[in-house]
Amino acid sequence: MNFFEVSVSFLSLAIKFSTVFLFGATGEIINQKSGHLNMGTPGIMYFGALGGVLGERIYIMCTPATAPLNPFLIVLIPVLFAVIFGAFGGLIFSFFTVTLHCNQNVTGLTLTTLGVGVSCLFISGMPMDRMAEAGLQMQSAFPDYQKLGWFGEIFLSQSWFTYLGIAIAIATAIIISKTKVGLNLRAVGENAAAADSAGINVNAYRYIATIIGGAIAGIGGAFYELDKTKGMFNIADGIDAFGWLALCIVIFSMWKPLIAIFASFGFACLSILPSFVTGNDYITYGFKMLPYVATLLVLIITSVINSKKAQAPASLGVTYFREDR
Amino acid sequence: MVSPPALLITFMENIRFENITKIFGSIVANNNVSFSIDTGEVFCILGENGSGKTTLLNVLAGIYKQDEGRVYINGKEVNINSPKDAYAHKIGMVHQHFKLVNVFTAFENISLGSKTKYTVQQVVDLCNKYGFKLDPFKRVYDMSVSEKQTLEIVKTLFRGVDTLILDEPTAVLTPQEITHLFDIIRNMRKDGKTIVIITHKLNEVMEISDRIAILRKGEYITTVKTSETNEKQLAELMVGHKIDLNIHRSKIPTTGVRLHIENLSAVNRDGETAIKDISFDLYGSEILGIAGISGSGQKELLETIAGLNRETNGSIIFTNPKKEQPVTFFHKNIKQIRELAAEGKFHLKDGSRCDLTNKSNKEVTEMVNNEEIIFYEDEIIDLKYKKPIEIRDLGIKLSFVPEDRLGMGLVGSMDLIDNMMLRSFRKGHAGLLDRKKPAALAQKIVDELEVKTPNIHTQVKKLSGGNIQKILVGRELSSRPKILMTAYPVRGLDINSSYLIYNLLDEQKKKGTSIIFVGEDLDVLMALCDRLLVLSNGHISGIVDPTKVSKEEIGLLMTRG
Amino acid sequence: MEKVAVKEKRNFRFPLYVTKKIGLPAWKYWLIRIVGILGAFLLAGIVCTVLKPGTFGLFFSELFRGCFDFTDITTIIELLVLTSLLLLIALALTPAFKMKFWNIGAEGQILISCLVSAGIAKFAPSDLPNIVILIMACGGAMVAGIVWSVIPAIFKAFFNTNETLFSLMMNYIATVLGGLAVSVWIKSGSQSFGLLKQGIFSEIMGSTGTLTIVFAVLVFILVFFYIKKSIHGYEVTVVGESVNTARYVGINVKKVIIRTMIFTGAIMGLIGFLIVCAINQTFNDSIVGGKGFTGVLIAWLGHFEPGEIALFSFLAAVMEQGTTTAASAISMSSFLFSSICTGIFFFVIIACEFFSSYQIKAHHNKEFMNYYGEQKALRREKYSVQDQEVKAQYRKDFAAFFTTVKNAKKEKIKAESNAFKRFMKKVGYALSYPFMWIKARRTFNKQNNRRFSFPRLMKNIGYGITYPVFWIASHIRFAKQNKKAMKGENV
């Protein structure tokens, strides 16, 4: 393989990988815009993975053994299940933080612990027949991508999930910055008291934002589980590691989904670089560290500059209680 | 917007409270309050701090839900469970603590939470109609306090409210801005709106209102017509007994310059220049007031003198009134005493020269403890590079009461003893704390200032605001300061406590303390202080004798520069 | 402008609302927590039964056996070691949390310390005595822990960088470094780090980690004094409450932040050292296994009080060790099962926190309350249950009577001149207190002609038991009444 071919497959894989991050980051951005520092996102992504696997399983069970798997349904049904499971995860978080007024950090960490445990348990118990076939089916949206050479290899060989992810990110960016609902959401995250006195139902916004954010993050988990491993399930997969990186991406992109698209790509490149670069252990692990170090740098730089425009939502991590005196 | 001509509005009952009771834990904020407000009038709710005014109107505005009682609007009983419901009934409230989103523009704040989409032209039209001055595209963090208040009022009007509630609107305004606001209120009344103002300022009530309801300690007292009453009667109704609203200002001669400030400039925590080129003198036995709109640099000036600001230019020279006073170990160690003796600063008790060169440390210590070493002159100390703890030890105390009252000077989750220890916690043995002396001090303050607390082991945050402030001021006063800087000491206090503190300050002045008093209430400043320094935008716009200038002139000084 | 129609029909409001509770008495607070803890265990058992039917009893017996098997002292020792480990982690985090410095980087801080002590233990010259290697490993681990902890502190102190996210990132960097170390240190041909041959603790009472318990007790005392009695602890509390106040009294906030994290880092170093050289005696990049995060939860749930933290460490250890044993008995993956149970445990405890700070109230309808009051009075008459005031009077009188009885006894004791006999009499008094009370009651009742009546007792019990039914019935009756009134019929 010459350098060109290697870079093409590298970029293609990077885009695929970035999808997982993008879903997680977009979901978390919606969470954080509403004021929820949701550290349960890794667990929620795991829930989504469980949902995706379950959905795929059910679809396979409903299809006769010899019939081919419909490429459209092979994406749609897992996505639906992932959305439901991810939304449920978001619901749990909101319930504990909004209704029971619990500390968000603690709830999030507990949710992650629980999510990892529950999901791994059930995923590992799933029967695996035809899953590999399903995984292959899911790979590419446009089956004829080879015809367009390297362009097709990189951009058109992606699964529907990838295009869906980018679409969702763009839609989120537009909704948050341009619509009324987005304005209200931002107000809830900045100053819940102000939003409340303006007549916005703060609790409703927080619930819905967390649920939708959870659903989106869940899709990311499902995609990783179903696609990346081509249908093989392994407990040590570490979807939660992606979840933490997604949190980094949120900060890195300064809570803007459009930047998150590129940030996800960058982090994905850094994540898969170790398997493309041969060298001693130091280089491999050095690359593994890069995403986290990059996030640290962003954290430091944003706090040093202390610009008013690129700050976190002011009420991030704060629970709102109207009768607080 | 529907607005019937003024002629067609009959003075019918618009809002009626019936037996409203609201309890927070063990505090009864409102107890069986019943009265009514008519349409198209300017109605004042008058009462001291803690009388339940804001709570009552918060019930009307949907922030709180009453525990008992009903609210009627236009004769029908209503259930207001949230601000949204209040808006549905055309009631809007402008709170004392603004509920604005800092990073949004004015226009975005106005559009927040509304169902219909507004245009900028609509905003401009409304402003012109009533006379508001507002830039729709300015971001809130760039706005001044009065601009923010204007934005809050415009925001509420945009909801189509017929009843506008204003909570202590004049607290943050200059006299000119207050006049402007009253003109706007009169315009709105002409337009048929009902305005409800919550306040405790008697002169303003007399100027703008049609009728006044008085609340006292959660109870409703009565409603009077403004034309049939006067300030004295209102004060009596507010407090419950005849009260002398005169602040006592002792006339005593000053005793020399104590603090000399020259060309002082400082930067605040955000990196912006807060005070520029400040120069003034502070004399012993005087109360120097500092007036200015919020954010003019008062806080930063006091903090700079107290040593809390690192980056300063200019000089702060403190004259420690030590003439003929013995030197103590309180803020000097043996090395420093020897140095000063070598410079000839001391003489012995019998008048002879003080020469310590041949004396051992033990002998010097004994001499100091017997108060044998006396200062010739007052000590001149440059405060600029001293640490805050050193400045405190010199007797320069700062008592700053911020909006949340507990933010600076007291730790809410600790009890009274631990709070007294804030002055002296380093004086323990072997790294461990010594709680005995602070406990005694706490008890002394509780007794002398009549602080209402179960005991000295109660957490400070559980006490009422007035008591918290008494502790704060009491702690600083108990150390017999040379200079006391106090900012907003009566913020949120009822009249009795406020006057107690004014008297305390006056007493301190008689004992020789210099006092810098930063306050919001111009009337109080003019009555209590000997001289008044007006800050505007970080500069001094003038130092005046309050007996010789008018409030309007001071107002102009506050906004100049 | 807005033209919003007033929704007249909307008289529905959610009947429940939430308000803050004021001043919960301590016993009630602990009752809620105990109920919560028991509920958590119960819930875990239910989950177990759902996953593998019929194992409810087995779950609890295995849980017990895994933790409290008195025939095999090793299990108890291991339980205490696990408790000590969690306790150490939570204690290390406590001063920082009291300062409102949300350090969740425990995992990384411990892991880095593990790394350094593993490296020292493995590569120290083998002719050095074991104890020297141990001391070097401990020292190295502490330095590593301090370095890893102090970095987020420095950035927070000088630039106000968010410490939560910073320390979180440091966790992952530490994990990567751990993986790197393992792969670099592995001898060619083997797959893992292998057991340490030197720089290890020897086995005591069946476990190599026994000394952890000793360290935990020492650190507990240390942290207790540090927070409550020392000047540093005072400064930490002030900074945590209000940075402005701290500055004003001359506390150097930056110094306090950094100093506290050095304290944390040192203890983290100790923990890492113990994990590698005592408990596990090996090293890999997942050796901390999530305990860092568990420690954060324990510290928070224990309200940063050393005593409560100790209790929760113990419970969490029981949960973890017990569920691991139970998992193998019901043939499930132990890691997953105990994760689930631990997650449930913490969620239940968190929910309990809600119930101790807030209460759910129902909106009161004044008319209903009047009606209800009348009905209650009628019912009391029907059951001829005593009026509250009469009961209160009775209790007051009896209390007075009983006090005279007690005082009489006390006089007699005081009259005794011999000190030893007096002491024995006091003991006797204490032991016989319940009997004294019963006797006094009987005498008092006889004096007032109040005889025990079985029917009366049954009536009282019946009154109490049927109370909920009565409550529901009066709601229904009242609603029916209202409906009729609205229709204009006679009530």
Side-chain angles (χ1 to χ4, degrees):
Chain A
M1 280 243 226
N2 61 28
F3 177 72
F4 179 70
E5 288 172 336
V6 168
S7 353
V8 165
S9 62
F10 172 79
L11 288 174
S12 163
L13 192 60
I15 294 186
K16 187 187 278 195
F17 233 93
S18 72
T19 311
V20 183
F21 292 135
L22 186 58
F23 273 110
T26 311
E28 182 68 21
I29 288 180
I30 300 177
N31 266 314
Q32 296 207 359
K33 278 287 185 193
S34 77
H36 277 169
L37 178 60
N38 189 349
M39 291 215 270
T41 297
I44 295 181
M45 286 178 85
Y46 244 124
F47 269 139
L50 175 62
V53 165
L54 193 65
E56 189 117 309
R57 186 81 239 126
I58 291 180
Y59 172 64
I60 289 178
M61 285 201 309
C62 297
T63 321
T66 48
L69 300 170
N70 183 330
F72 182 63
L73 288 180
I74 212 76
V75 168
L76 183 67
I77 297 188
V79 164
L80 279 174
F81 272 81
V83 161
I84 295 176
F85 274 66
F88 179 67
L91 179 65
I92 297 179
F93 185 87
S94 325
F95 177 68
F96 274 88
T97 48
V98 175
T99 308
L100 294 192
H101 300 287
C102 295
N103 180 295
Q104 292 184 10
N105 297 344
V106 175
T107 312
L109 285 178
T110 314
L111 187 58
T112 299
T113 315
L114 193 65
V116 170
V118 168
S119 310
C120 280
L121 187 69
F122 286 105
I123 290 179
S124 61
M126 288 277 174
M128 289 190 334
D129 43 295
R130 296 197 82 181
M131 281 297 203
E133 186 188 334
L136 280 168
Q137 278 282 338
M138 223 179 56
Q139 289 304 316
S140 319
F142 306 113
D144 300 321
Y145 64 86
Q146 281 105 339
K147 294 207 183 119
L148 286 168
W150 63 265
F151 182 80
E153 176 85 26
I154 298 177
F155 292 108
L156 297 180
S157 67
Q158 304 301 336
S159 160
W160 278 113
F161 278 94
T162 312
Y163 305 122
L164 183 64
I166 298 180
I168 289 182
I170 296 178
T172 307
I174 295 178
I175 293 179
I176 289 184
S177 53
K178 300 261 189 272
T179 65
K180 189 142 254 338
V181 168
L183 187 74
N184 291 350
L185 180 69
R186 274 186 285 148
V188 167
E190 293 285 341
N191 186 344
D196 191 24
S197 71
I200 299 175
N201 189 336
V202 171
N203 289 349
Y205 266 86
R206 283 194 154 171
Y207 257 99
I208 294 179
T210 312
I211 290 175
I212 293 181
I216 295 178
I219 301 178
F223 176 60
Y224 181 73
E225 198 57 50
L226 295 170
D227 184 316
K228 179 73 187 72
T229 55
K230 294 213 175 26
M232 305 300 281
F233 305 109
N234 184 349
I235 294 178
D237 256 332
I239 293 181
D240 51 327
F242 293 122
W244 296 118
L245 276 177
L247 263 144
C248 300
I249 294 175
V250 169
I251 306 164
F252 194 91
S253 50
M254 293 183 281
W255 296 272
K256 299 194 203 317
L258 291 176
I259 301 186
I261 299 179
F262 298 102
S264 310
F265 178 71
F267 275 63
C269 289
L270 291 175
S271 301
I272 63 175
L273 214 48
S275 43
F276 276 79
V277 174
T278 46
N280 56 15
D281 288 325
Y282 288 98
I283 297 189
T284 318
Y285 281 95
F287 277 125
K288 269 196 187 179
M289 256 203 288
L290 274 179
Y292 307 112
V293 175
T295 313
L296 269 185
L297 285 173
V298 170
L299 264 177
I300 296 172
I301 292 175
T302 43
S303 55
V304 169
I305 293 182
N306 201 22
S307 138
K308 286 204 164 85
K309 295 232 168 132
Q311 289 294 348
S315 288
L316 188 64
V318 177
T319 35
Y320 175 63
F321 186 49
R322 190 187 284 156
E323 299 222 352
D324 256 341
R325 277 201 124 197
Chain B
M1 185 188 62
V2 179
S3 65
L7 288 171
L8 287 182
I9 299 177
T10 51
F11 274 94
M12 52 178 249
E13 173 190 280
N14 183 5
I15 299 171
R16 181 152 67 90
F17 295 103
E18 193 180 273
N19 299 114
I20 300 285
T21 303
K22 177 74 187 159
I23 305 180
F24 291 105
S26 53
I27 303 173
V28 181
N30 296 126
N31 191 4
N32 249 326
V33 174
S34 308
F35 63 90
S36 67
I37 303 173
D38 296 336
T39 317
E41 66 173 350
V42 178
F43 191 89
C44 269
I45 312 243
L46 182 69
E48 326 189 63
N49 288 311
S51 54
K53 327 186 279 288
T54 305
T55 310
L56 182 67
L57 271 310
N58 271 334
V59 165
L60 185 60
I63 304 285
Y64 296 148
K65 183 79 190 125
Q66 73 269 30
D67 293 320
E68 274 174 36
R70 304 164 208 255
V71 176
Y72 293 86
I73 298 189
N74 291 332
K76 282 214 202 95
E77 185 185 351
V78 293
N79 240 334
I80 304 183
N81 293 318
S82 73
K84 219 174 182 174
D85 294 342
Y87 280 119
H89 289 287
K90 309 227 176 190
I91 299 176
M93 182 163 174
V94 175
H95 300 270
Q96 212 177 348
H97 304 292
F98 301 137
K99 313 228 165 156
L100 297 171
V101 181
N102 267 330
V103 294
F104 284 359
T105 61
F107 182 63
E108 284 172 337
N109 268 291
I110 295 174
S111 313
L112 201 57
S114 72
K115 296 244 162 55
T116 56
K117 208 162 162 68
Y118 300 139
T119 64
V120 181
Q121 189 57 44
Q122 283 175 316
V123 175
V124 172
D125 288 340
L126 184 77
C127 292
N128 290 336
K129 178 171 179 183
Y130 293 115
F132 294 114
K133 290 185 233 157
L134 182 68
D135 174 3
F137 297 111
K138 206 168 182 186
R139 295 212 178 254
V140 173
Y141 53 69
D142 284 330
M143 287 188 185
S144 73
V145 174
S146 75
E147 283 177 310
K148 286 189 203 171
Q149 192 193 59
T150 310
L151 174 56
E152 278 273 16
I153 300 179
V154 170
K155 192 176 92 168
T156 318
L157 283 176
F158 250 91
R159 288 281 191 283
V161 297
D162 286 333
T163 308
L164 184 67
I165 309 172
L166 301 170
D167 191 353
E168 306 273 5
T170 61
V172 294
L173 301 178
T174 66
Q176 282 75 15
E177 287 166 347
I178 294 178
T179 315
H180 184 63
L181 177 66
F182 284 177
D183 286 335
I184 294 178
I185 292 179
R186 289 189 195 99
N187 280 338
M188 292 200 277
R189 178 177 54 187
K190 251 192 268 181
D191 206 30
K193 305 241 183 269
T194 313
I195 322 277
V196 181
I197 304 184
I198 304 173
T199 182
H200 65 278
K201 302 268 205 90
L202 297 173
N203 51 347
E204 289 166 8
V205 165
M206 292 303 298
E207 187 181 333
I208 190 67
S209 63
D210 297 322
R211 288 197 308 147
I212 309 163
I214 294 115
L215 295 181
R216 189 201 312 154
K217 290 207 179 34
E219 310 271 349
Y220 165 73
I221 307 297
T222 181
T223 305
V224 295
K225 274 220 187 87
T226 314
S227 48
E228 292 168 4
T229 183
N230 58 45
E231 284 190 36
K232 207 152 167 227
Q233 187 189 30
L234 288 175
E236 206 178 304
L237 287 169
M238 268 211 306
V239 182
H241 53 80
K242 275 210 197 310
I243 183 163
D244 175 18
L245 279 183
N246 290 321
I247 297 178
H248 190 242
R249 171 167 52 199
S250 314
K251 282 211 180 350
I252 52 172
T254 61
T255 61
V257 175
R258 192 157 292 180
L259 197 63
H260 176 72
I261 308 234
E262 208 170 300
N263 294 112
L264 187 65
S265 305
V267 166
N268 69 11
R269 224 156 280 143
D270 289 330
E272 297 154 353
T273 313
I275 51 177
K276 304 164 207 151
D277 255 355
I278 305 267
S279 303
F280 68 92
D281 287 331
L282 178 67
Y283 296 92
S285 298
E286 80 162 341
I287 301 183
L288 175 71
I290 299 193
I293 55 179
S294 163
S296 304
Q298 303 96 313
K299 178 163 167 267
E300 288 78 5
L301 175 61
L302 295 191
E303 283 182 346
T304 307
I305 299 176
L308 294 170
N309 243 336
R310 275 305 150 84
E311 298 178 41
T312 59
N313 282 324
S315 63
I316 310 174
I317 309 289
F318 171 55
T319 307
N320 198 353
K322 281 293 231 181
K323 190 163 178 180
E324 303 308 318
Q325 300 288 325
V327 69
T328 60
F329 280 126
F330 195 52
H331 42 78
K332 295 228 183 326
N333 56 30
I334 291 201
K335 182 156 158 252
Q336 290 165 326
I337 295 178
R338 283 192 190 277
E339 283 173 8
L340 289 170
E343 290 173 18
K345 298 274 190 216
F346 302 137
H347 63 86
L348 294 176
K349 225 199 251 180
D350 53 16
S352 61
R353 258 204 61 188
C354 174
D355 186 359
L356 299 178
T357 38
N358 295 331
K359 304 231 192 287
S360 72
N361 277 348
K362 201 157 161 225
E363 290 172 323
V364 174
T365 311
E366 216 188 293
M367 287 170 74
V368 172
N369 286 336
N370 291 340
E371 298 191 346
E372 287 175 15
I373 305 184
I374 313 286
F375 277 90
Y376 261 124
E377 299 283 335
D378 294 335
E379 251 189 300
I380 311 256
I381 305 176
D382 186 349
L383 292 184
K384 212 172 107 183
Y385 296 109
K386 288 218 178 284
K387 298 204 213 100
I389 195 78
E390 291 170 332
I391 297 182
R392 287 197 66 174
D393 285 342
L394 281 170
I396 302 171
K397 299 294 165 85
L398 172 61
S399 156
F400 178 89
V401 183
E403 298 231 312
D404 58 5
R405 289 200 209 123
L406 288 176
M408 183 155 155
L410 284 180
V411 180
S413 62
M414 298 205 282
D415 64 12
L416 274 82
I417 303 179
D418 285 352
N419 270 293
M420 290 304 132
M421 247 189 336
L422 278 172
R423 300 189 317 139
S424 60
F425 66 91
R426 283 191 190 78
K427 300 206 170 95
H429 320 289
L432 295 179
L433 302 164
D434 171 22
R435 284 198 160 88
K436 280 191 263 178
K437 288 213 190 82
L441 178 62
Q443 195 58 54
K444 186 165 142 223
I445 291 182
V446 167
D447 296 333
E448 281 180 15
L449 296 181
E450 299 166 8
V451 178
K452 284 198 195 47
T453 172
N455 54 50
I456 56 176
H457 297 282
T458 321
Q459 282 183 323
V460 164
K461 69 180 173 195
K462 295 213 170 112
L463 304 177
S464 77
N467 288 310
I468 294 177
Q469 270 153 268
K470 284 189 200 172
I471 295 173
L472 193 57
V473 177
R475 187 186 70 198
E476 304 309 334
L477 288 179
S478 71
S479 61
R480 282 165 302 161
K482 310 262 174 36
I483 299 181
L484 174 63
M485 302 186 282
T486 171
Y488 314 111
V490 301
R491 199 176 226 158
L493 286 188
D494 59 275
I495 291 190
N496 278 326
S497 303
S498 303
Y499 280 73
L500 183 72
I501 298 210
Y502 300 144
N503 284 336
L504 274 175
L505 294 175
D506 199 57
E507 290 294 321
Q508 278 300 119
K509 179 176 91 174
K510 288 201 274 197
K511 287 191 191 152
T513 312
S514 305
I515 301 180
I516 300 183
F517 182 102
V518 174
E520 287 171 317
D521 194 330
L522 263 186
D523 298 302
V524 168
L525 283 170
M526 290 174 73
L528 179 65
C529 307
D530 300 307
R531 292 189 300 151
L532 198 51
L533 185 153
V534 185
L535 282 180
S536 167
N537 219 5
H539 298 286
I540 297 185
S541 24
I543 303 183
V544 298
D545 179 347
T547 56
K548 299 206 172 73
V549 290
S550 71
K551 228 163 105 172
E552 283 63 37
E553 288 172 304
I554 299 182
L556 284 172
L557 287 174
M558 278 160 74
T559 46
R560 192 210 296 169
Chain C
M1 304 294 168
E2 296 269 322
K3 275 196 188 162
V4 182
V6 177
K7 293 187 187 161
E8 285 296 2
K9 275 189 120 191
R10 259 230 306 202
N11 266 321
F12 167 75
R13 63 182 180 200
F14 196 74
L16 303 172
Y17 63 97
V18 172
T19 51
K20 263 201 176 137
K21 239 181 215 177
I22 311 282
L24 194 65
W27 67 267
K28 259 195 199 169
Y29 172 72
W30 279 105
L31 184 65
I32 295 178
R33 288 188 131 186
I34 292 175
V35 167
I37 292 169
L38 292 175
F41 279 103
L42 197 66
L43 200 54
I46 294 178
V47 164
C48 186
T49 317
V50 162
L51 292 173
K52 295 265 159 113
T55 51
F56 192 71
L58 189 63
F59 170 76
F60 284 104
S61 67
E62 286 301 309
L63 189 85
F64 241 68
R65 198 171 69 79
C67 299
F68 300 112
D69 191 348
F70 286 105
T71 60
D72 182 8
I73 197 87
T74 329
T75 48
I76 301 187
I77 295 288
E78 288 191 358
L79 180 70
L80 288 176
V81 168
L82 184 59
T83 307
S84 310
L85 200 56
L86 292 172
L87 178 61
L88 280 168
I89 301 176
L91 284 174
L93 293 165
T94 303
F97 282 167
K98 258 197 135 59
M99 207 172 53
K100 302 235 171 71
F101 183 87
W102 307 115
N103 166 31
I104 58 170
E107 286 278 314
Q109 288 147 12
I110 300 175
L111 187 61
I112 273 286
S113 319
C114 289
L115 193 156
V116 170
S117 32
I120 294 181
K122 191 168 178 74
F123 297 111
S126 40
D127 49 335
L128 286 175
N130 202 25
I131 188 80
V132 172
I133 301 180
L134 282 175
I135 294 178
M136 279 170 34
C138 185
M142 281 187 162
V143 169
I146 290 176
V147 166
W148 217 247
S149 307
V150 116
I151 295 178
I154 292 178
F155 281 99
K156 171 79 182 182
F158 287 95
F159 302 114
N160 198 26
T161 317
N162 184 314
E163 69 273 19
T164 312
L165 297 163
F166 203 107
S167 51
L168 194 59
M169 291 304 109
M170 303 277 290
N171 281 349
Y172 285 94
I173 297 180
T175 310
V176 172
L177 285 174
L180 175 62
V182 169
S183 72
V184 168
W185 287 340
I186 284 181
K187 295 199 186 45
S188 54
S190 66
Q191 291 291 3
S192 69
F193 191 79
L195 289 174
L196 283 172
K197 301 270 188 322
Q198 59 183 13
I200 54 177
F201 285 68
S202 41
E203 210 177 272
I204 306 178
M205 290 170 60
S207 165
T208 48
T210 320
L211 279 181
T212 316
I213 305 176
V214 174
F215 280 109
V217 172
L218 290 175
V219 170
F220 180 86
I221 299 175
L222 173 71
V223 170
F224 184 82
F225 271 92
Y226 189 71
I227 292 182
K228 298 230 181 246
K229 306 275 181 200
S230 78
I231 294 181
H232 284 188
Y234 184 79
E235 291 181 331
V236 160
T237 313
V238 176
V239 169
E241 172 95 14
S242 161
V243 169
N244 281 330
T245 308
R247 276 204 197 99
Y248 175 52
V249 295
I251 297 177
N252 186 338
V253 175
K254 294 186 177 54
K255 196 166 86 164
V256 169
I257 294 178
I258 295 177
R259 181 180 68 201
T260 312
M261 284 311 281
I262 292 179
F263 183 84
T264 301
I267 303 183
M268 293 295 182
L270 177 68
I271 297 171
F273 163 69
L274 287 169
I275 290 181
V276 165
C277 297
I279 302 178
N280 291 52
Q281 304 197 338
T282 178
F283 177 73
N284 58 64
D285 64 355
S286 52
I287 200 170
V288 186
K291 292 200 186 54
F293 286 121
T294 313
V296 169
L297 292 173
I298 292 176
W300 189 83
L301 284 176
H303 299 111
F304 319 136
E305 293 291 321
E308 292 186 45
I309 289 177
L311 174 67
F312 276 104
S313 309
F314 179 69
L315 289 172
V318 165
M319 191 50 115
E320 189 162 323
Q321 186 160 314
T323 50
T324 310
T325 321
S328 54
I330 57 175
S331 48
M332 258 210 284
S333 154
S334 54
F335 166 70
L336 297 177
F337 186 64
S338 71
S339 294
I340 297 176
C341 290
T342 314
I344 295 177
F345 174 72
F346 279 111
F347 264 127
V348 172
I349 304 292
I350 293 172
C352 282
E353 289 298 309
F354 169 73
F355 284 111
S356 35
S357 311
Y358 298 89
Q359 55 189 44
I360 301 180
K361 290 217 293 202
H363 289 291
H364 289 307
N365 188 332
K366 202 167 189 180
E367 286 165 0
F368 172 72
M369 292 312 280
N370 290 339
Y371 172 79
Y372 188 59
E374 290 168 28
Q375 293 296 310
K376 265 206 286 198
L378 285 172
R379 186 165 182 259
R380 252 187 254 127
E381 268 184 50
K382 198 171 89 163
Y383 276 84
S384 59
V385 160
Q386 264 184 324
D387 199 281
Q388 299 288 9
E389 291 171 12
V390 174
K391 266 204 217 159
Q393 187 61 38
Y394 171 82
R395 274 193 220 116
K396 251 208 279 191
D397 294 340
F398 175 68
F401 174 74
F402 188 48
T403 318
T404 52
V405 169
K406 277 197 288 189
N407 286 340
K409 265 262 166 78
K410 283 189 189 160
E411 290 299 315
K412 269 180 51 187
I413 296 179
K414 274 205 199 128
E416 174 64 50
S417 46
N418 185 328
F420 178 69
K421 278 200 188 158
R422 204 165 53 225
F423 173 71
M424 291 311 291
K425 282 200 176 170
K426 280 195 191 156
V427 172
Y429 172 84
L431 288 175
S432 67
Y433 192 92
F435 300 102
M436 201 168 46
W437 186 87
I438 295 176
K439 198 162 162 215
R441 263 288 185 148
R442 294 183 69 169
T443 330
F444 186 73
N445 284 344
K446 231 187 246 176
Q447 273 178 13
N448 295 2
N449 270 327
R450 206 181 124 92
R451 228 145 275 153
F452 173 74
S453 146
F454 188 69
R456 191 179 64 214
L457 177 67
M458 292 315 288
K459 259 194 181 160
N460 274 325
I461 294 179
Y463 175 77
I465 290 183
T466 55
Y467 198 89
V469 179
F470 161 69
W471 185 82
I472 299 174
S474 23
H475 273 285
I476 298 176
R477 248 180 267 147
F478 180 72
K480 270 206 195 131
Q481 231 182 29
N482 255 1
K483 231 181 178 178
K484 278 199 186 154
M486 291 216 295
K487 284 193 181 154
E489 293 173 14
N490 280 348
V491 172

